[in-house]
């Protein structure tokens, strides 16, 4: 008789796929249950709320973004430029897709997942901007990230008809880089370089890579679980 795959991992795999393809708002616990042949009680046994399931995907998103940053620096790109491109690609992707906007907006508007983002981004910004803020303590970095995350959320929610995307990117990056003490000359050079790129294409490419990464990670987790059960 065949062994059933781990239910929790199946929920994560399907939930992640739906959050990315249909958005957090449109994805319900009931829909996940129906597609997996599980009751709502089965789902909430593993994830008390939809927010808890989203948190798993946010953890994977953080890992993916860290990998992109590592690859960029390995290829000779500065961490500062990589940071600017990350924010720009998210803004561009949200501009092109309401589903993507809904997903990112949800990660920033739910306290549980926002805490995960702020914690990870505090470490990231410290690594990127530490040379410009050498005397700042832990409390300053945490407090500043709270402000910056609010700016990022506002950027995600801003639409092309309100502020054209290039201007939106320029203002967001200029504000954040100023907060972290980046000199004006460096700010201008980085922003000009970002705006000269095909940032819309970059946003689409990174979103596609993120989808592939999530599918690969979740599929590998299921395979590893099956192997462990088989070897017992």
């Amino acid at each position: 008789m065949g062994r059933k795959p781990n239910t929790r991992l199946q929920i994560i795999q399907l939930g992640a796929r739906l959050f990315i393809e249909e958005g957090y708002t449109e994805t319900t616990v009931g829909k996940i249950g129906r597609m997996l042949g599980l009751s709502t009680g089965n789902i909430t046994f593993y994830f008390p709320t939809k927010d808890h399931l989203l948190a798993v995907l946010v953890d994977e998103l953080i890992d993916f973004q860290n990998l992109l940053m590592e690859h960029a620096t390995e290829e000779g790109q500065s961490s500062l430029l990589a940071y600017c491109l990350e924010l720009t690609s998210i803004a561009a992707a949200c501009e092109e897709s309401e589903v993507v906007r809904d997903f990112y907006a949800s990660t920033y508007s739910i306290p549980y997942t926002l805490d995960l983002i702020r914690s990870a981004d505090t470490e990231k910004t410290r690594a990127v901007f530490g040379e410009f803020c050498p005397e700042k303590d832990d409390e300053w970095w945490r407090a500043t990230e709270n402000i910056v995350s609010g700016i990022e959320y506002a950027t995600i929610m801003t639409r092309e008809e309100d502020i054209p995307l290039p201007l939106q990117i320029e203002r967001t990056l200029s504000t954040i880089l100023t907060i972290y003490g980046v000199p004006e000359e460096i700010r201008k050079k980085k922003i000009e370089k970002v705006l000269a790129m095909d940032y819309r294409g970059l946003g689409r490419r990174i979103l596609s890579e993120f989808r592939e990464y999530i599918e690969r990670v979740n599929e590998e987790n299921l395979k590893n679980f099956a192997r462990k059960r088989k070897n017992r």
Side-chain angles (χ1 to χ4, degrees):
M1 184 175 178
R3 296 179 183 273
K4 293 183 178 180
N6 182 272
T7 302
R8 181 178 183 276
L9 294 177
Q10 283 186 312
I11 295 170
I12 291 172
Q13 184 180 47
L14 179 58
R17 186 179 302 147
L18 291 176
F19 286 154
I20 295 172
E21 294 180 355
E22 300 184 12
Y24 176 81
T25 302
E26 293 299 318
T27 301
T28 66
V29 171
K31 182 172 186 176
I32 294 172
R34 287 192 298 274
M35 292 181 70
L36 290 176
L38 299 171
S39 69
T40 299
N42 289 143
I43 304 291
T44 56
F45 174 79
Y46 294 98
F47 300 98
T49 69
K50 194 168 67 166
D51 297 356
H52 288 81
L53 180 54
L54 179 63
V56 177
L57 181 55
V58 170
D59 274 331
E60 293 179 343
L61 172 62
I62 290 168
D63 289 341
F64 172 73
Q65 291 175 331
N66 288 338
L67 282 174
L68 287 183
M69 183 74 77
E70 289 175 11
H71 291 162
T73 53
E74 286 172 0
E75 293 173 0
Q77 193 177 93
S78 72
S79 60
L80 178 55
L81 181 60
Y83 175 88
C84 292
L85 287 173
E86 179 184 303
L87 289 179
T88 300
S89 65
I90 292 173
C94 290
E95 185 61 50
E96 291 200 352
S97 169
E98 285 297 326
V99 170
V100 175
R101 187 195 303 275
D102 177 75
F103 165 67
Y104 275 105
S106 297
T107 65
Y108 276 85
S109 58
I110 295 169
Y112 190 53
T113 52
L114 178 58
D115 284 345
L116 295 175
I117 292 171
R118 283 175 170 170
S119 178
D121 282 359
T122 297
E123 295 303 313
K124 180 190 297 182
T125 53
R126 193 165 193 164
V128 173
F129 300 107
E131 63 179 295
F132 306 111
C133 310
E135 305 301 325
K136 303 300 183 182
D137 59 16
D138 292 346
E139 183 177 358
W140 184 89
W141 286 100
R142 288 192 297 269
T144 303
E145 174 53 35
N146 288 348
I147 296 170
V148 170
S149 63
I151 296 171
E152 292 170 349
Y153 177 72
T155 301
I156 289 169
M157 298 306 294
T158 301
R159 288 170 166 77
E160 177 76 25
E161 56 266 29
D162 298 322
I163 302 176
L165 185 58
L167 180 57
Q168 178 184 332
I169 291 169
E170 189 277 329
R171 287 181 176 178
T172 297
L173 293 180
S174 181
T175 300
I176 293 176
L177 269 56
T178 299
I179 289 173
Y180 284 116
V182 179
E184 183 178 4
E185 183 179 352
I186 297 177
R187 290 200 309 269
K188 288 183 176 180
K189 286 182 179 179
K190 297 301 179 184
I191 294 171
E192 287 173 0
K193 189 167 186 176
V194 168
L195 292 176
M197 294 180 176
D198 177 16
Y199 47 82
R200 292 184 187 274
L202 177 66
R204 289 191 291 269
R205 179 176 63 79
I206 290 180
L207 180 61
S208 176
E209 290 177 359
F210 175 54
R211 289 188 177 118
E212 293 172 1
Y213 173 81
I214 294 300
E215 286 291 336
R216 186 169 63 252
V217 167
N218 290 332
E219 187 63 34
E220 190 61 35
N221 287 340
L222 280 166
K223 289 179 180 178
N224 287 339
F225 177 82
R227 288 193 205 101
K228 289 178 182 178
R229 291 198 65 177
K230 185 178 181 179
N231 293 331
R232 284 178 183 173

